Amino acid sequence: MGSFASLTRCFDTVQLAPAMDDQQGRLLADILGAVTGISIYPRSITALDHCLFFLGNRKGEKCLGIVSPKPGLVDRFEEPEHEIALEGMKVRFRMGPTTSRNAAWLRKTLPFLESRTIGVKKSVGCGDRLGLATPGHVRAVRKTGVAPIFAQQSVRENERTGRTPSGVMDDALWGVFQEGWRHGFGADADHLKTAAQADAFVAAGYTFFTIDPGEYVDNDAEKAASRALEQKVADLPWDEMESTPSDLERSLSGKPIDLGEFSTRFSRQEILRAAAKYGKALSHTLRLYRHLTKTMKGRFFELEMSVDETESATTLAEHVYIASELKRLGVAWVSLAPRYVGTFEKGVDYIGDLDPFEKAFAQHVAVAKTYGPYKLSIHSGSDKFKIYPIASRLAEGLIHLKTAGTSYLEALRTIARCNPGLFRDIVRFATRRYPIDRATYHVSAETSRLPDMADLDDHDLPGLLDDFHVREVLHVTYGSVLNQDQVRAPFFDSLRANEEEYSRLVEAHFDRHLSSFK
């Protein structure tokens, strides 16, 4: 089809037109770019209501453009207007920056840019600490049947990077629009601890809320003597949990529990220890769930409970206790993140024997199927390549993989290639900060094991991102690095100037992550 015919067909569109193929997108991007002076992202071009929408890049700054030969929708885009000629046609052209106001307008205009619930489909959370990784995430997800969460950030990450819930959502929107992704995506308010934290994400339009009640978990319950254990159970907030110790024992203690592929029994001691360990965490989760139910005012949302950042692995009895109590209390949840057997350190592969992991994970799957179905969520899931095939096979789709800092590490790999001097400065600074920043993370890297940067040529630097100790040191120091005035500007300038290189590295890295989950 010729360029004039393509434009005419687009401008005749009333309802949202199907996504263009790559050839047509490149053709129209060249035509629009030649006239507007903007480098157009071909997959962003969208036809609706006699308009063409697109995302472009002009002198290093991204911009939203709209062209139309007719009045109407284009007039609602509150940016300056110009008249231009496209293939002999006079059309109206408006262009504006990628501001939160324009993101909100575009989100209302193109509903596929609104976050939505995902359900129990297998899914991946693509955390993006920089707001630049979504295009690479989209490209990788597009090759799979995995449902994506493209807007995902924890409160801790936002505090350390200076970002906001709404800013994270907007950055994901622009990335989704740039790559022309129309199949829906979730938005995860990760590791929420308080109602006030949840409220900020509710206001920003999030659809997925991960509750982190870790500070309410009583890790001492596992080894408490009988008398102390009885007291811990007696001290639980039974009124909030709408139950009594006797009710709990009658429901779970000593009776056969059918978990589908096998049946089990739990002793009174096992149930009391599970309740003592997780009872207050359950109560806190219930409070936040009911707060969200009220605050969301009828909007659909999804809940995940996370107990992964605890000192010991979640046992079968503990998982059954959590799931049965959530169900009894009327909590609707879509996924749960236990503390799995083995070691899940940040940014590196699984540490531990695979046989015990496989056995325990199969038990967790049985519980999820029996009391749900709901997904098992793998937190600190970045780069755990050893367990992906096992988890995918056993979960049979009931799985959510949560990643975050690994995309930041690919940003550093990009900088190592394109700005080696800056990368050297970052490694040196991160090495000094690591003893402080590691305090809130489960890592074991040693700075004494890092190579001397003076001994390395520039072409050796990207390979450092494959080193265990380097990865962990750089992973946990991101906040300190990004808050250095002399680093922040050149850091983002380097990534924006090498945008395609960064997207390509993220895509390849997530291809590897998702290959077991297709």
Side-chain angles (χ1 to χ4, degrees), residues 150-172:
F150 289 134
Q152 175 202 292
Q153 213 74 72
S154 69
V155 174
R156 176 173 62 188
E157 286 171 321
N158 281 341
E159 288 174 345
R160 294 188 178 186
T161 58
R163 301 177 74 201
T164 64
S166 59
V168 171
M169 184 75 89
D170 289 346
D171 288 337

Side-chain angles (χ1 to χ4, degrees), residues 212-227:
D212 177 5
E215 62 190 63
Y216 294 90
V217 175
D218 186 347
N219 290 291
D220 295 333
E222 292 189 27
K223 297 181 180 180
S226 295
R227 182 175 297 180

Side-chain angles (χ1 to χ4, degrees), residues 261 321 410:
E261 296 183 7
Y321 166 73
E410 291 307 301

Side-chain angles (χ1 to χ4, degrees), residues 462-481:
L464 290 178
L465 273 301
D466 300 318
D467 179 272
F468 177 98
H469 298 277
V470 174
R471 287 185 71 81
E472 289 203 334
V473 168
L474 293 176
H475 191 290
V476 304
T477 54
Y478 67 94
S480 297
V481 168

